[in-house]
Amino acid sequence: MRIILLGPPGAGKGTQAKKIINEFNIPHISTGDIFRKNISERTEIGVRAKAFIDNGQLVPDDITIDICLERLTYKDCENGFLLDGFPRTVPQADALQEFLSKRELSLDAAINIVVPEDVLKRRLSGRRVCVHCGASFNIETNPPKLEGKCDFCSSDLIQRSDDSLETVNERLEVYKRQTQPIIDYYSNKGLLKNIDGYQDIAKVFEDICKTLGRDPK
Ligand code: ADP
Ligand code: ADP
Ligand code: ZN
């Protein structure tokens, strides 16, 4: 399966990604996670990306396309992958298309998680993420079993600096301006699957599995 996950910040892409990769046994490729890892390791890419991420802007296409397409050449992507947070612009979608076409590969689905904007803002303000594995929790809607600790690896949970109200508003505007157009792009290719993301996490996952033609385990 080669799947991409679309949806605005806070739609639940990361949360569903963790479940999808278990079900389909494919690697989870999150450009946001790759950037955060580079930032924490203070690499050159990390330093360049940080300035954009902190302001709620997208990282420029040249950097983002390079790191994502490079990751797709790893051996673990041979049997498929789940892209979470890429593509986010039309040039990124074109670059992915070119990469796949050259290899005579194609996407199976573009899953678009749809959630009302006021719900997104509430979710993002309550989001807490694991410093180690990146898992997302929510102090209101999806609390960890033990306060402040990750269910999966017991590491500390923190609030992402770009989840501040001001940056969230900017990210939602950027989404509408730069990412919304790729919904039409995948719709025109017949790949778009809209999923109602304003349901509990298990139900959203069930709907995603159904749309991919599979009964969840
Ligand atoms: P994204 O990767 O799309 O930005 P996340 O998966 O990090 O989104 O989810 C955003 C926040 O909303 C997190 O705090 C997460 O725990 C919470 N969340 C995710 N899915 C749901 C859902 N279906 N219902 C309620 N809260 C959710
Ligand atoms: P969310 O889904 O909650 O918006 P991500 O972890 O996917 O968060 O992304 C965090 C930030 O990383 C984005 O706001 C953006 O600055 C940068 N980023 C992630 N993916 C991309 C991308 N495909 N293109 C450009 N910037 C990206
Ligand atoms: Zn963890």
Side-chain angles (χ1 to χ4, degrees), residues 9-10 13 31-32 35-36 53 57-59 64 85-86 88 92 127 160 162 171:
K13 298 180 299 297
T31 38
F35 286 135
R36 282 184 289 277
I53 294 177
Q57 303 298 315
L58 294 182
V59 178
T64 308
F86 184 97
R88 266 172 143 113
Q92 290 178 19
R127 172 156 71 179
R160 264 168 52 175
D162 60 340
R171 283 160 64 205

Side-chain angles (χ1 to χ4, degrees), residues 44-191:
E44 201 186 317
I45 286 176
V47 171
R48 287 179 69 192
K50 188 175 189 311
F52 296 96
I53 294 177
D54 283 350
N55 288 316
Q57 303 298 315
L58 294 182
V59 178
D61 281 336
D62 56 342
I63 308 178
T64 308
I65 290 170
D66 278 357
I67 60 149
C68 186
L69 297 188
E70 203 248 340
R71 177 66 185 82
L72 289 180
T73 63
Y74 290 15
K75 198 157 176 43
D76 64 347
C77 294
E78 267 174 12
N79 294 320
F81 51 76
L82 174 69
L83 278 178
D84 162 10
F86 184 97
R88 266 172 143 113
T89 64
V90 172
Q92 290 178 19
D94 285 335
L96 176 63
Q97 183 57 43
E98 192 192 322
F99 176 94
L100 293 171
S101 301
K102 265 191 196 155
R103 291 163 180 78
E104 295 184 3
L105 300 173
S106 56
L107 292 172
D108 293 288
I111 294 174
N112 181 33
I113 307 181
V114 182
V115 175
E117 187 164 307
D118 56 324
V119 178
L120 295 173
K121 289 187 186 179
R122 284 206 301 279
R123 282 189 186 175
L124 289 168
S125 75
R127 172 156 71 179
R128 299 293 182 270
V129 297
C130 174
V131 289
H132 179 66
C133 75
S136 260
F137 298 88
N138 194 288
I139 51 175
E140 278 165 31
T141 61
N142 180 28
K145 293 192 182 87
L146 192 66
E147 198 186 321
K149 300 286 174 192
C150 176
D151 286 359
F152 304 101
C153 71
S154 307
S155 302
D156 288 338
L157 301 182
I158 55 154
Q159 186 160 24
R160 264 168 52 175
S161 57
D162 60 340
D163 279 346
S164 66
L165 194 58
E166 205 187 12
T167 312
V168 161
N169 286 334
E170 181 59 26
R171 283 160 64 205
L172 291 171
E173 286 310 310
V174 166
Y175 171 80
K176 283 183 220 161
R177 225 174 29 242
Q178 290 180 274
T179 308
Q180 197 97 271
I182 70 170
I183 305 290
D184 289 339
Y185 181 102
Y186 288 108
S187 175
N188 291 335
K189 288 186 182 295
L191 289 171

Side-chain angles (χ1 to χ4, degrees), residues 16-45:
Q16 295 300 327
K18 288 228 173 246
K19 299 165 87 67
I20 297 168
I21 58 161
N22 278 329
E23 179 69 33
F24 291 91
N25 212 2
I26 47 178
H28 176 197
I29 300 169
S30 156
T31 38
D33 285 351
I34 296 174
F35 286 135
R36 282 184 289 277
K37 185 161 184 283
N38 275 279
I39 290 171
S40 73
E41 291 170 355
R42 297 196 165 75
T43 66
E44 201 186 317
I45 286 176

